mmCIF file with all atom_site columns, all heavy atoms in Angstrom:
data_model
loop_
_atom_site.group_PDB
_atom_site.id
_atom_site.type_symbol
_atom_site.label_atom_id
_atom_site.label_alt_id
_atom_site.label_comp_id
_atom_site.label_asym_id
_atom_site.label_entity_id
_atom_site.label_seq_id
_atom_site.pdbx_PDB_ins_code
_atom_site.Cartn_x
_atom_site.Cartn_y
_atom_site.Cartn_z
_atom_site.occupancy
_atom_site.B_iso_or_equiv
_atom_site.pdbx_formal_charge
_atom_site.auth_seq_id
_atom_site.auth_comp_id
_atom_site.auth_asym_id
_atom_site.auth_atom_id
_atom_site.pdbx_PDB_model_num
ATOM 1   N N   . ILE X 1 29  ? 58.711 20.932 30.660 1.00 0.00 ? 47  ILE X N   1
ATOM 2   C CA  . ILE X 1 29  ? 59.140 19.559 30.664 1.00 0.00 ? 47  ILE X CA  1
ATOM 3   C C   . ILE X 1 29  ? 60.144 19.310 31.772 1.00 0.00 ? 47  ILE X C   1
ATOM 4   O O   . ILE X 1 29  ? 61.256 18.861 31.660 1.00 0.00 ? 47  ILE X O   1
ATOM 5   C CB  . ILE X 1 29  ? 59.771 19.095 29.206 1.00 0.00 ? 47  ILE X CB  1
ATOM 6   C CG1 . ILE X 1 29  ? 58.761 19.592 28.182 1.00 0.00 ? 47  ILE X CG1 1
ATOM 7   C CG2 . ILE X 1 29  ? 59.892 17.560 29.224 1.00 0.00 ? 47  ILE X CG2 1
ATOM 8   C CD1 . ILE X 1 29  ? 57.448 18.881 28.247 1.00 0.00 ? 47  ILE X CD1 1
ATOM 9   N N   . ARG X 1 122 ? 78.919 39.861 12.684 1.00 0.00 ? 140 ARG X N   1
ATOM 10  C CA  . ARG X 1 122 ? 80.269 40.232 12.326 1.00 0.00 ? 140 ARG X CA  1
ATOM 11  C C   . ARG X 1 122 ? 80.322 40.617 10.785 1.00 0.00 ? 140 ARG X C   1
ATOM 12  O O   . ARG X 1 122 ? 80.892 41.620 10.476 1.00 0.00 ? 140 ARG X O   1
ATOM 13  C CB  . ARG X 1 122 ? 81.172 39.056 12.478 1.00 0.00 ? 140 ARG X CB  1
ATOM 14  C CG  . ARG X 1 122 ? 81.493 38.796 13.995 1.00 0.00 ? 140 ARG X CG  1
ATOM 15  C CD  . ARG X 1 122 ? 82.715 37.890 14.073 1.00 0.00 ? 140 ARG X CD  1
ATOM 16  N NE  . ARG X 1 122 ? 82.421 36.575 13.473 1.00 0.00 ? 140 ARG X NE  1
ATOM 17  C CZ  . ARG X 1 122 ? 82.019 35.514 14.165 1.00 0.00 ? 140 ARG X CZ  1
ATOM 18  N NH1 . ARG X 1 122 ? 81.910 35.557 15.417 1.00 0.00 ? 140 ARG X NH1 1
ATOM 19  N NH2 . ARG X 1 122 ? 81.806 34.354 13.544 1.00 0.00 ? 140 ARG X NH2 1
ATOM 20  N N   . PRO X 1 138 ? 51.285 39.489 15.817 1.00 0.00 ? 156 PRO X N   1
ATOM 21  C CA  . PRO X 1 138 ? 52.349 40.335 16.318 1.00 0.00 ? 156 PRO X CA  1
ATOM 22  C C   . PRO X 1 138 ? 51.876 41.401 17.219 1.00 0.00 ? 156 PRO X C   1
ATOM 23  O O   . PRO X 1 138 ? 52.688 42.254 17.650 1.00 0.00 ? 156 PRO X O   1
ATOM 24  C CB  . PRO X 1 138 ? 52.909 40.957 15.015 1.00 0.00 ? 156 PRO X CB  1
ATOM 25  C CG  . PRO X 1 138 ? 51.711 41.042 14.067 1.00 0.00 ? 156 PRO X CG  1
ATOM 26  C CD  . PRO X 1 138 ? 50.818 39.913 14.349 1.00 0.00 ? 156 PRO X CD  1
ATOM 27  N N   . ARG X 1 154 ? 62.707 50.663 10.820 1.00 0.00 ? 172 ARG X N   1
ATOM 28  C CA  . ARG X 1 154 ? 61.661 51.246 11.708 1.00 0.00 ? 172 ARG X CA  1
ATOM 29  C C   . ARG X 1 154 ? 61.325 50.275 12.820 1.00 0.00 ? 172 ARG X C   1
ATOM 30  O O   . ARG X 1 154 ? 61.350 49.084 12.729 1.00 0.00 ? 172 ARG X O   1
ATOM 31  C CB  . ARG X 1 154 ? 60.326 51.455 10.833 1.00 0.00 ? 172 ARG X CB  1
ATOM 32  C CG  . ARG X 1 154 ? 59.265 52.239 11.474 1.00 0.00 ? 172 ARG X CG  1
ATOM 33  C CD  . ARG X 1 154 ? 58.136 52.388 10.570 1.00 0.00 ? 172 ARG X CD  1
ATOM 34  N NE  . ARG X 1 154 ? 56.991 53.066 11.228 1.00 0.00 ? 172 ARG X NE  1
ATOM 35  C CZ  . ARG X 1 154 ? 55.819 53.178 10.732 1.00 0.00 ? 172 ARG X CZ  1
ATOM 36  N NH1 . ARG X 1 154 ? 55.563 52.699 9.471  1.00 0.00 ? 172 ARG X NH1 1
ATOM 37  N NH2 . ARG X 1 154 ? 54.775 53.656 11.348 1.00 0.00 ? 172 ARG X NH2 1
ATOM 38  N N   . THR X 1 168 ? 57.192 40.546 11.551 1.00 0.00 ? 186 THR X N   1
ATOM 39  C CA  . THR X 1 168 ? 58.524 40.243 12.016 1.00 0.00 ? 186 THR X CA  1
ATOM 40  C C   . THR X 1 168 ? 58.691 40.965 13.328 1.00 0.00 ? 186 THR X C   1
ATOM 41  O O   . THR X 1 168 ? 58.625 42.199 13.403 1.00 0.00 ? 186 THR X O   1
ATOM 42  C CB  . THR X 1 168 ? 59.666 40.796 11.115 1.00 0.00 ? 186 THR X CB  1
ATOM 43  O OG1 . THR X 1 168 ? 59.413 40.209 9.712  1.00 0.00 ? 186 THR X OG1 1
ATOM 44  C CG2 . THR X 1 168 ? 61.017 40.400 11.489 1.00 0.00 ? 186 THR X CG2 1
ATOM 45  N N   . VAL X 1 196 ? 66.665 52.879 23.852 1.00 0.00 ? 214 VAL X N   1
ATOM 46  C CA  . VAL X 1 196 ? 67.966 52.923 23.192 1.00 0.00 ? 214 VAL X CA  1
ATOM 47  C C   . VAL X 1 196 ? 67.913 52.704 21.784 1.00 0.00 ? 214 VAL X C   1
ATOM 48  O O   . VAL X 1 196 ? 68.481 53.560 20.944 1.00 0.00 ? 214 VAL X O   1
ATOM 49  C CB  . VAL X 1 196 ? 68.769 51.854 23.894 1.00 0.00 ? 214 VAL X CB  1
ATOM 50  C CG1 . VAL X 1 196 ? 70.185 51.712 23.314 1.00 0.00 ? 214 VAL X CG1 1
ATOM 51  C CG2 . VAL X 1 196 ? 68.884 51.978 25.390 1.00 0.00 ? 214 VAL X CG2 1
ATOM 52  N N   . GLY X 1 204 ? 71.423 57.123 12.910 1.00 0.00 ? 222 GLY X N   1
ATOM 53  C CA  . GLY X 1 204 ? 72.048 56.424 11.761 1.00 0.00 ? 222 GLY X CA  1
ATOM 54  C C   . GLY X 1 204 ? 72.907 55.208 12.181 1.00 0.00 ? 222 GLY X C   1
ATOM 55  O O   . GLY X 1 204 ? 73.719 54.850 11.291 1.00 0.00 ? 222 GLY X O   1
ATOM 56  N N   . GLY X 1 209 ? 68.790 43.441 11.687 1.00 0.00 ? 227 GLY X N   1
ATOM 57  C CA  . GLY X 1 209 ? 67.822 42.413 12.130 1.00 0.00 ? 227 GLY X CA  1
ATOM 58  C C   . GLY X 1 209 ? 68.154 41.145 11.540 1.00 0.00 ? 227 GLY X C   1
ATOM 59  O O   . GLY X 1 209 ? 68.193 41.006 10.295 1.00 0.00 ? 227 GLY X O   1
ATOM 60  N N   . PRO X 1 248 ? 55.684 5.089  21.693 1.00 0.00 ? 266 PRO X N   1
ATOM 61  C CA  . PRO X 1 248 ? 55.721 6.177  20.735 1.00 0.00 ? 266 PRO X CA  1
ATOM 62  C C   . PRO X 1 248 ? 55.198 7.377  21.391 1.00 0.00 ? 266 PRO X C   1
ATOM 63  O O   . PRO X 1 248 ? 53.993 7.473  21.746 1.00 0.00 ? 266 PRO X O   1
ATOM 64  C CB  . PRO X 1 248 ? 55.026 5.798  19.525 1.00 0.00 ? 266 PRO X CB  1
ATOM 65  C CG  . PRO X 1 248 ? 55.132 4.229  19.527 1.00 0.00 ? 266 PRO X CG  1
ATOM 66  C CD  . PRO X 1 248 ? 55.108 3.893  20.907 1.00 0.00 ? 266 PRO X CD  1
ATOM 67  N N   . ASP X 1 327 ? 48.021 19.156 46.584 1.00 0.00 ? 345 ASP X N   1
ATOM 68  C CA  . ASP X 1 327 ? 47.258 17.904 46.731 1.00 0.00 ? 345 ASP X CA  1
ATOM 69  C C   . ASP X 1 327 ? 45.918 18.124 46.015 1.00 0.00 ? 345 ASP X C   1
ATOM 70  O O   . ASP X 1 327 ? 45.063 18.913 46.441 1.00 0.00 ? 345 ASP X O   1
ATOM 71  C CB  . ASP X 1 327 ? 47.073 17.527 48.113 1.00 0.00 ? 345 ASP X CB  1
ATOM 72  C CG  . ASP X 1 327 ? 48.385 17.139 48.812 1.00 0.00 ? 345 ASP X CG  1
ATOM 73  O OD1 . ASP X 1 327 ? 49.306 16.776 48.172 1.00 0.00 ? 345 ASP X OD1 1
ATOM 74  O OD2 . ASP X 1 327 ? 48.511 17.244 50.011 1.00 0.00 ? 345 ASP X OD2 1
ATOM 75  N N   . VAL X 1 340 ? 46.399 26.367 39.440 1.00 0.00 ? 358 VAL X N   1
ATOM 76  C CA  . VAL X 1 340 ? 46.407 26.175 40.865 1.00 0.00 ? 358 VAL X CA  1
ATOM 77  C C   . VAL X 1 340 ? 47.783 26.480 41.282 1.00 0.00 ? 358 VAL X C   1
ATOM 78  O O   . VAL X 1 340 ? 48.720 25.808 40.783 1.00 0.00 ? 358 VAL X O   1
ATOM 79  C CB  . VAL X 1 340 ? 45.940 24.803 41.269 1.00 0.00 ? 358 VAL X CB  1
ATOM 80  C CG1 . VAL X 1 340 ? 45.987 24.617 42.792 1.00 0.00 ? 358 VAL X CG1 1
ATOM 81  C CG2 . VAL X 1 340 ? 44.544 24.540 40.744 1.00 0.00 ? 358 VAL X CG2 1
ATOM 82  N N   . VAL X 1 390 ? 28.508 37.055 54.303 1.00 0.00 ? 408 VAL X N   1
ATOM 83  C CA  . VAL X 1 390 ? 29.489 36.963 53.118 1.00 0.00 ? 408 VAL X CA  1
ATOM 84  C C   . VAL X 1 390 ? 30.418 38.066 53.252 1.00 0.00 ? 408 VAL X C   1
ATOM 85  O O   . VAL X 1 390 ? 29.974 39.261 53.129 1.00 0.00 ? 408 VAL X O   1
ATOM 86  C CB  . VAL X 1 390 ? 28.666 36.956 51.830 1.00 0.00 ? 408 VAL X CB  1
ATOM 87  C CG1 . VAL X 1 390 ? 29.715 36.764 50.655 1.00 0.00 ? 408 VAL X CG1 1
ATOM 88  C CG2 . VAL X 1 390 ? 27.666 35.811 51.825 1.00 0.00 ? 408 VAL X CG2 1
ATOM 89  N N   . LEU X 1 402 ? 29.428 40.696 42.118 1.00 0.00 ? 420 LEU X N   1
ATOM 90  C CA  . LEU X 1 402 ? 29.085 39.588 43.118 1.00 0.00 ? 420 LEU X CA  1
ATOM 91  C C   . LEU X 1 402 ? 27.815 39.950 43.912 1.00 0.00 ? 420 LEU X C   1
ATOM 92  O O   . LEU X 1 402 ? 27.031 39.141 44.187 1.00 0.00 ? 420 LEU X O   1
ATOM 93  C CB  . LEU X 1 402 ? 30.270 39.399 44.086 1.00 0.00 ? 420 LEU X CB  1
ATOM 94  C CG  . LEU X 1 402 ? 30.039 38.396 45.201 1.00 0.00 ? 420 LEU X CG  1
ATOM 95  C CD1 . LEU X 1 402 ? 30.066 36.995 44.583 1.00 0.00 ? 420 LEU X CD1 1
ATOM 96  C CD2 . LEU X 1 402 ? 31.120 38.565 46.319 1.00 0.00 ? 420 LEU X CD2 1
ATOM 97  N N   . ASN X 1 462 ? 12.862 45.800 61.663 1.00 0.00 ? 480 ASN X N   1
ATOM 98  C CA  . ASN X 1 462 ? 12.017 46.113 60.445 1.00 0.00 ? 480 ASN X CA  1
ATOM 99  C C   . ASN X 1 462 ? 11.809 44.775 59.672 1.00 0.00 ? 480 ASN X C   1
ATOM 100 O O   . ASN X 1 462 ? 10.778 44.594 59.088 1.00 0.00 ? 480 ASN X O   1
ATOM 101 C CB  . ASN X 1 462 ? 12.470 47.246 59.701 1.00 0.00 ? 480 ASN X CB  1
ATOM 102 C CG  . ASN X 1 462 ? 12.143 48.557 60.298 1.00 0.00 ? 480 ASN X CG  1
ATOM 103 O OD1 . ASN X 1 462 ? 11.034 49.105 60.004 1.00 0.00 ? 480 ASN X OD1 1
ATOM 104 N ND2 . ASN X 1 462 ? 13.050 49.129 61.088 1.00 0.00 ? 480 ASN X ND2 1
ATOM 105 N N   . GLN X 1 482 ? 38.912 47.988 54.812 1.00 0.00 ? 500 GLN X N   1
ATOM 106 C CA  . GLN X 1 482 ? 38.971 47.598 53.359 1.00 0.00 ? 500 GLN X CA  1
ATOM 107 C C   . GLN X 1 482 ? 38.042 46.439 53.065 1.00 0.00 ? 500 GLN X C   1
ATOM 108 O O   . GLN X 1 482 ? 38.072 46.072 51.911 1.00 0.00 ? 500 GLN X O   1
ATOM 109 C CB  . GLN X 1 482 ? 40.472 47.107 53.071 1.00 0.00 ? 500 GLN X CB  1
ATOM 110 C CG  . GLN X 1 482 ? 41.602 48.035 53.510 1.00 0.00 ? 500 GLN X CG  1
ATOM 111 C CD  . GLN X 1 482 ? 41.495 49.345 52.752 1.00 0.00 ? 500 GLN X CD  1
ATOM 112 O OE1 . GLN X 1 482 ? 41.206 49.346 51.501 1.00 0.00 ? 500 GLN X OE1 1
ATOM 113 N NE2 . GLN X 1 482 ? 41.653 50.502 53.424 1.00 0.00 ? 500 GLN X NE2 1
ATOM 114 N N   . GLN X 1 498 ? 21.459 27.576 58.809 1.00 0.00 ? 516 GLN X N   1
ATOM 115 C CA  . GLN X 1 498 ? 22.447 26.878 57.945 1.00 0.00 ? 516 GLN X CA  1
ATOM 116 C C   . GLN X 1 498 ? 21.779 26.209 56.733 1.00 0.00 ? 516 GLN X C   1
ATOM 117 O O   . GLN X 1 498 ? 22.172 26.291 55.600 1.00 0.00 ? 516 GLN X O   1
ATOM 118 C CB  . GLN X 1 498 ? 23.074 25.680 58.768 1.00 0.00 ? 516 GLN X CB  1
ATOM 119 C CG  . GLN X 1 498 ? 23.911 26.154 59.882 1.00 0.00 ? 516 GLN X CG  1
ATOM 120 C CD  . GLN X 1 498 ? 25.228 26.753 59.388 1.00 0.00 ? 516 GLN X CD  1
ATOM 121 O OE1 . GLN X 1 498 ? 25.780 26.355 58.405 1.00 0.00 ? 516 GLN X OE1 1
ATOM 122 N NE2 . GLN X 1 498 ? 25.693 27.735 60.137 1.00 0.00 ? 516 GLN X NE2 1
ATOM 123 N N   . GLU X 1 512 ? 21.425 29.834 38.613 1.00 0.00 ? 530 GLU X N   1
ATOM 124 C CA  . GLU X 1 512 ? 20.074 29.677 38.095 1.00 0.00 ? 530 GLU X CA  1
ATOM 125 C C   . GLU X 1 512 ? 19.166 30.689 38.662 1.00 0.00 ? 530 GLU X C   1
ATOM 126 O O   . GLU X 1 512 ? 18.340 30.464 39.636 1.00 0.00 ? 530 GLU X O   1
ATOM 127 C CB  . GLU X 1 512 ? 19.584 28.258 38.542 1.00 0.00 ? 530 GLU X CB  1
ATOM 128 C CG  . GLU X 1 512 ? 20.400 27.179 37.823 1.00 0.00 ? 530 GLU X CG  1
ATOM 129 C CD  . GLU X 1 512 ? 20.003 25.767 38.308 1.00 0.00 ? 530 GLU X CD  1
ATOM 130 O OE1 . GLU X 1 512 ? 19.198 25.693 39.271 1.00 0.00 ? 530 GLU X OE1 1
ATOM 131 O OE2 . GLU X 1 512 ? 20.356 24.806 37.751 1.00 0.00 ? 530 GLU X OE2 1
ATOM 132 N N   . LEU X 1 585 ? 27.473 60.691 61.730 1.00 0.00 ? 603 LEU X N   1
ATOM 133 C CA  . LEU X 1 585 ? 27.899 59.585 60.728 1.00 0.00 ? 603 LEU X CA  1
ATOM 134 C C   . LEU X 1 585 ? 29.209 59.910 60.115 1.00 0.00 ? 603 LEU X C   1
ATOM 135 O O   . LEU X 1 585 ? 29.337 61.080 59.650 1.00 0.00 ? 603 LEU X O   1
ATOM 136 C CB  . LEU X 1 585 ? 26.842 59.431 59.612 1.00 0.00 ? 603 LEU X CB  1
ATOM 137 C CG  . LEU X 1 585 ? 25.435 58.803 60.085 1.00 0.00 ? 603 LEU X CG  1
ATOM 138 C CD1 . LEU X 1 585 ? 24.519 58.772 58.886 1.00 0.00 ? 603 LEU X CD1 1
ATOM 139 C CD2 . LEU X 1 585 ? 25.635 57.484 60.731 1.00 0.00 ? 603 LEU X CD2 1
ATOM 140 N N   . GLU X 1 631 ? 31.787 53.519 86.687 1.00 0.00 ? 649 GLU X N   1
ATOM 141 C CA  . GLU X 1 631 ? 31.824 54.878 87.220 1.00 0.00 ? 649 GLU X CA  1
ATOM 142 C C   . GLU X 1 631 ? 33.214 55.382 87.579 1.00 0.00 ? 649 GLU X C   1
ATOM 143 O O   . GLU X 1 631 ? 33.351 56.585 87.848 1.00 0.00 ? 649 GLU X O   1
ATOM 144 C CB  . GLU X 1 631 ? 30.790 54.990 88.449 1.00 0.00 ? 649 GLU X CB  1
ATOM 145 C CG  . GLU X 1 631 ? 31.345 54.495 89.836 1.00 0.00 ? 649 GLU X CG  1
ATOM 146 C CD  . GLU X 1 631 ? 31.423 53.013 89.876 1.00 0.00 ? 649 GLU X CD  1
ATOM 147 O OE1 . GLU X 1 631 ? 31.000 52.321 88.872 1.00 0.00 ? 649 GLU X OE1 1
ATOM 148 O OE2 . GLU X 1 631 ? 31.834 52.443 90.856 1.00 0.00 ? 649 GLU X OE2 1
ATOM 149 N N   . LEU X 1 642 ? 29.922 40.553 80.474 1.00 0.00 ? 660 LEU X N   1
ATOM 150 C CA  . LEU X 1 642 ? 28.960 39.507 80.400 1.00 0.00 ? 660 LEU X CA  1
ATOM 151 C C   . LEU X 1 642 ? 28.473 39.178 81.831 1.00 0.00 ? 660 LEU X C   1
ATOM 152 O O   . LEU X 1 642 ? 27.278 39.034 82.101 1.00 0.00 ? 660 LEU X O   1
ATOM 153 C CB  . LEU X 1 642 ? 29.528 38.334 79.660 1.00 0.00 ? 660 LEU X CB  1
ATOM 154 C CG  . LEU X 1 642 ? 28.675 37.117 79.490 1.00 0.00 ? 660 LEU X CG  1
ATOM 155 C CD1 . LEU X 1 642 ? 29.084 36.263 78.350 1.00 0.00 ? 660 LEU X CD1 1
ATOM 156 C CD2 . LEU X 1 642 ? 28.565 36.165 80.719 1.00 0.00 ? 660 LEU X CD2 1
ATOM 157 N N   . LEU X 1 643 ? 29.423 39.016 82.735 1.00 0.00 ? 661 LEU X N   1
ATOM 158 C CA  . LEU X 1 643 ? 29.126 38.546 84.053 1.00 0.00 ? 661 LEU X CA  1
ATOM 159 C C   . LEU X 1 643 ? 28.402 39.679 84.801 1.00 0.00 ? 661 LEU X C   1
ATOM 160 O O   . LEU X 1 643 ? 27.433 39.344 85.635 1.00 0.00 ? 661 LEU X O   1
ATOM 161 C CB  . LEU X 1 643 ? 30.377 38.204 84.830 1.00 0.00 ? 661 LEU X CB  1
ATOM 162 C CG  . LEU X 1 643 ? 31.136 36.934 84.328 1.00 0.00 ? 661 LEU X CG  1
ATOM 163 C CD1 . LEU X 1 643 ? 32.529 36.859 84.958 1.00 0.00 ? 661 LEU X CD1 1
ATOM 164 C CD2 . LEU X 1 643 ? 30.351 35.728 84.479 1.00 0.00 ? 661 LEU X CD2 1
ATOM 165 N N   . LEU X 1 648 ? 23.210 41.371 87.088 1.00 0.00 ? 666 LEU X N   1
ATOM 166 C CA  . LEU X 1 648 ? 22.120 42.287 87.222 1.00 0.00 ? 666 LEU X CA  1
ATOM 167 C C   . LEU X 1 648 ? 20.801 41.737 86.891 1.00 0.00 ? 666 LEU X C   1
ATOM 168 O O   . LEU X 1 648 ? 19.776 41.874 87.592 1.00 0.00 ? 666 LEU X O   1
ATOM 169 C CB  . LEU X 1 648 ? 22.422 43.586 86.476 1.00 0.00 ? 666 LEU X CB  1
ATOM 170 C CG  . LEU X 1 648 ? 23.411 44.631 86.977 1.00 0.00 ? 666 LEU X CG  1
ATOM 171 C CD1 . LEU X 1 648 ? 23.839 45.586 85.976 1.00 0.00 ? 666 LEU X CD1 1
ATOM 172 C CD2 . LEU X 1 648 ? 22.725 45.341 88.182 1.00 0.00 ? 666 LEU X CD2 1
ATOM 173 N N   . LEU X 1 724 ? 19.484 50.381 77.059 1.00 0.00 ? 742 LEU X N   1
ATOM 174 C CA  . LEU X 1 724 ? 18.226 50.828 77.771 1.00 0.00 ? 742 LEU X CA  1
ATOM 175 C C   . LEU X 1 724 ? 17.924 49.929 78.938 1.00 0.00 ? 742 LEU X C   1
ATOM 176 O O   . LEU X 1 724 ? 17.594 50.399 80.043 1.00 0.00 ? 742 LEU X O   1
ATOM 177 C CB  . LEU X 1 724 ? 17.094 50.778 76.843 1.00 0.00 ? 742 LEU X CB  1
ATOM 178 C CG  . LEU X 1 724 ? 16.767 51.916 75.859 1.00 0.00 ? 742 LEU X CG  1
ATOM 179 C CD1 . LEU X 1 724 ? 15.505 51.939 75.269 1.00 0.00 ? 742 LEU X CD1 1
ATOM 180 C CD2 . LEU X 1 724 ? 17.090 53.384 76.614 1.00 0.00 ? 742 LEU X CD2 1
ATOM 181 N N   . ILE X 1 740 ? 29.231 45.773 91.558 1.00 0.00 ? 758 ILE X N   1
ATOM 182 C CA  . ILE X 1 740 ? 28.679 44.553 91.136 1.00 0.00 ? 758 ILE X CA  1
ATOM 183 C C   . ILE X 1 740 ? 29.767 43.721 90.550 1.00 0.00 ? 758 ILE X C   1
ATOM 184 O O   . ILE X 1 740 ? 29.919 42.484 90.798 1.00 0.00 ? 758 ILE X O   1
ATOM 185 C CB  . ILE X 1 740 ? 27.644 44.816 89.898 1.00 0.00 ? 758 ILE X CB  1
ATOM 186 C CG1 . ILE X 1 740 ? 26.414 45.580 90.482 1.00 0.00 ? 758 ILE X CG1 1
ATOM 187 C CG2 . ILE X 1 740 ? 27.204 43.465 89.305 1.00 0.00 ? 758 ILE X CG2 1
ATOM 188 C CD1 . ILE X 1 740 ? 25.551 46.154 89.406 1.00 0.00 ? 758 ILE X CD1 1
ATOM 189 N N   . LYS X 1 761 ? 42.604 19.692 60.121 1.00 0.00 ? 779 LYS X N   1
ATOM 190 C CA  . LYS X 1 761 ? 41.737 19.966 61.242 1.00 0.00 ? 779 LYS X CA  1
ATOM 191 C C   . LYS X 1 761 ? 40.973 18.722 61.679 1.00 0.00 ? 779 LYS X C   1
ATOM 192 O O   . LYS X 1 761 ? 40.789 18.581 62.854 1.00 0.00 ? 779 LYS X O   1
ATOM 193 C CB  . LYS X 1 761 ? 40.720 21.051 60.686 1.00 0.00 ? 779 LYS X CB  1
ATOM 194 C CG  . LYS X 1 761 ? 41.256 22.450 60.702 1.00 0.00 ? 779 LYS X CG  1
ATOM 195 C CD  . LYS X 1 761 ? 40.206 23.564 60.620 1.00 0.00 ? 779 LYS X CD  1
ATOM 196 C CE  . LYS X 1 761 ? 40.909 24.943 60.659 1.00 0.00 ? 779 LYS X CE  1
ATOM 197 N NZ  . LYS X 1 761 ? 39.831 25.989 60.798 1.00 0.00 ? 779 LYS X NZ  1
#
Side-chain angles (χ1 to χ4, degrees):
I47 312 296
R140 283 197 300 262
R172 187 178 174 191
T186 308
V214 179
D345 294 336
V358 180
V408 180
L420 178 71
N480 280 273
Q500 305 300 318
Q516 295 290 327
E530 297 173 349
L603 291 182
E649 79 286 356
L660 182 155
L661 295 173
L666 279 166
L742 279 192
I758 298 166
K779 283 195 174 183

